[in-house]
Amino acid sequence: MNYTDRVTRVEPSATLAVSSLAAELTAEGVDVVDLSVGEPDFETPEHIKAAGRDAITRGETHYSPSKGIPELREAIAEDLAAQGMPYGPENVMVTPGAKQALFEVVHTVVEDGDEVVLLDPAWVSYAAMAEIAGADLTRVDLRETDFQLEPALDALEAAVSSDTELLIVNSPNNPSGAVYSRAAMEGVRDLAVKYDITVIADEIYEQIRYAGEHVSLATLDGMGERTVTVNGFSKAYAMTGWRLGYFAAPEGLIEQAGKIQSHSVSSAATFVQHAGLQALEGPSEPTAEMVEAFEDRRDMLIEAFAEHGIDVPTPEGAFYMMLPVDDDDEAWCTAALEEAHVATVPGSAFGAPGYARLSYAADERRLREGVDRLAEAGFLD
Ligand code: PLP
């Protein structure tokens, strides 16, 4: 398939479509409770902002080495090694956001006609990136197992084969909030080794967890040489607009992906990388406080929906939950926005029809208001 056809078949981002519709209504003077947002509603911590400002004052405004500044690559490698992952600075590429990291990795690993396996619900951009790279998608549905992977390992085994080039695993998960267990990750490892599959471990929500052990695939025996660990600063440090992420991988993959990066975006802005260094090395309390606030909101929402007789699978991480809605989740979300003025994202955008994704990156008062409006307009009956 040629490149134009590959791009043409990709759907525009459903999350962006909802936000634009919500923004249009807001511009018309409608008070929209926006539960579609994929970014923390917290400020970037002051010590990180100060590090960015200081770096600008020092003149850190020139080109960065294209794989990132050495200090940050080292700090990231140390952080990953401290968690038991087999990475040194030579295995780290600093990127303008985790999204760019994923794009470069997918385009390095996947050729036209290769099979890429996704675990649904899957973050909206995985399918698009794989399709632009020319992949054929195989999707494993985790709805029946309340979004948990462990009980669905048989289904994953049935989906993969020696034709599978890449599997993408995202835990804690956007949109379900599921955190995959150690047994689930070991199951992934067994299949990846058996069928020689490269695995992307998207760990962008790793620090936003309320329960469950976080198991990094790269720490498991046999996975170091076939795992690409993707992470970034957007979520844990409320730095979405700074555009700072990274991936860690075997050196050969870093070299190949490095060509894509150096011939396209270069690395993140130099002063932004200095701010990132401070995020890693500075106080961790702001992240802990943010996670605590998310957990309180999660509990409040779970209880509020339970009062309406709706059992929402309890998220163990990230700041999203999947509300069971009508089979036609797209129609439900459109109506909820137009009639109750509550913005949510249809589960079908993530390969999980029958649900609406709610983000609780909004203050508790607005979240309560969102639930009340949905209830009053009959959307929770
Ligand atoms: N991976 C997942 C699962 C995400 O939800 C997001 C952002 O929403 C990203 C990656 C990209 O994050 P970044 O802001 O670092 O590009």
Side-chain angles (χ1 to χ4, degrees):
M1 196 186 287
N2 71 37
Y3 198 79
T4 311
D5 288 344
R6 292 188 219 161
V7 176
T8 305
R9 70 179 168 158
V10 167
E11 296 290 333
S13 162
T15 37
L16 287 184
V18 173
S19 328
S20 337
L21 194 51
E24 261 173 51
L25 286 171
T26 307
E28 286 166 17
V30 176
D31 173 34
V32 175
V33 175
D34 193 351
L35 308 184
S36 72
V37 189
E39 60 177 336
D41 55 317
F42 291 84
E43 274 297 301
T44 305
E46 194 46 50
H47 66 282
I48 299 176
K49 286 186 187 172
R53 278 194 298 268
D54 290 350
I56 292 178
T57 307
R58 283 200 310 275
E60 304 279 7
T61 53
H62 299 272
Y63 281 133
S64 151
S66 105
K67 290 179 188 151
I69 58 171
E71 307 91 295
L72 184 58
R73 294 177 76 198
E74 265 162 41
I76 291 169
E78 260 173 40
D79 190 40
L80 298 177
Q83 297 172 57
M85 292 185 242
Y87 301 125
E90 68 284 2
N91 301 109
V92 174
M93 172 103 77
V94 177
T95 58
K99 190 185 271 184
Q100 176 68 20
L102 286 158
F103 188 87
E104 290 173 14
V105 174
V106 168
H107 280 256
T108 302
V109 174
V110 174
E111 284 177 27
D112 199 12
D114 279 349
E115 182 188 60
V116 172
V117 175
L118 300 181
L119 302 169
D120 282 338
W123 181 51
V124 290
S125 294
Y126 299 146
M129 289 175 188
E131 283 173 334
I132 293 172
D136 294 327
L137 292 175
T138 299
R139 309 186 68 141
V140 179
D141 189 350
L142 302 187
R143 281 176 303 172
E144 285 293 305
T145 57
D146 268 355
F147 309 120
Q148 284 302 325
L149 176 57
E150 193 182 331
L153 282 172
D154 286 347
L156 179 58
E157 168 126 46
V160 297
S161 69
S162 44
D163 290 334
T164 308
E165 196 58 43
L166 178 68
L167 166 67
I168 305 183
V169 178
N170 169 219
S171 173
N173 182 268
N174 176 7
S176 71
V179 172
Y180 300 150
S181 66
R182 177 169 289 277
M185 293 306 203
E186 286 174 353
V188 167
R189 184 266 318 275
D190 294 346
L191 294 172
V193 170
K194 180 168 171 190
Y195 295 114
D196 190 19
I197 300 168
T198 300
V199 182
I200 292 180
D202 181 347
E203 304 193 347
I204 188 99
Y205 296 100
E206 164 239 332
Q207 294 195 54
I208 304 178
R209 258 180 313 118
Y210 321 114
E213 176 195 17
H214 172 75
V215 180
S216 290
L217 279 165
T219 62
L220 302 182
D221 275 354
M223 287 305 283
E225 63 268 29
R226 63 179 69 257
T227 305
V228 181
T229 303
V230 173
N231 208 327
F233 295 76
S234 286
K235 316 288 179 177
Y237 305 102
M239 291 178 72
T240 45
W242 295 68
R243 309 310 303 132
L244 186 61
Y246 61 87
F247 64 92
E251 245 183 301
L253 204 149
I254 293 285
E255 290 315 311
Q256 287 297 97
K259 294 183 216 167
I260 301 181
Q261 175 143 308
S262 70
H263 289 299
S264 55
V265 291
S266 304
S267 194
T270 314
F271 61 90
V272 166
Q273 296 188 57
H274 283 278
L277 197 55
Q278 178 57 220
L280 290 182
E281 292 174 349
S284 58
E285 285 79 11
T287 302
E289 282 163 20
M290 183 175 73
V291 173
E292 227 170 90
F294 283 144
E295 187 172 3
D296 288 346
R297 296 169 186 182
R298 174 202 67 167
D299 293 346
M300 185 277 283
L301 280 178
I302 295 281
E303 210 179 297
F305 287 122
E307 280 165 17
H308 291 280
I310 301 174
D311 190 13
V312 177
T314 305
E316 296 188 317
F319 42 79
Y320 312 102
M321 60 178 59
M322 291 289 260
L323 177 70
V325 297
D326 297 349
D327 287 347
D328 189 348
D329 53 299
E330 291 185 14
W332 187 95
C333 289
T334 307
L337 180 53
E338 286 172 352
E339 293 164 29
H341 301 145
V342 177
T344 58
V345 184
S348 49
F350 305 90
Y355 291 85
R357 186 196 74 172
L358 265 62
S359 156
Y360 39 99
D363 70 48
E364 214 167 305
R365 192 183 53 80
R366 292 298 275 171
L367 292 172
R368 278 187 199 282
E369 162 115 32
V371 177
D372 290 348
R373 284 191 195 181
L374 289 173
E376 276 157 29
F379 286 93
L380 302 182
D381 295 342

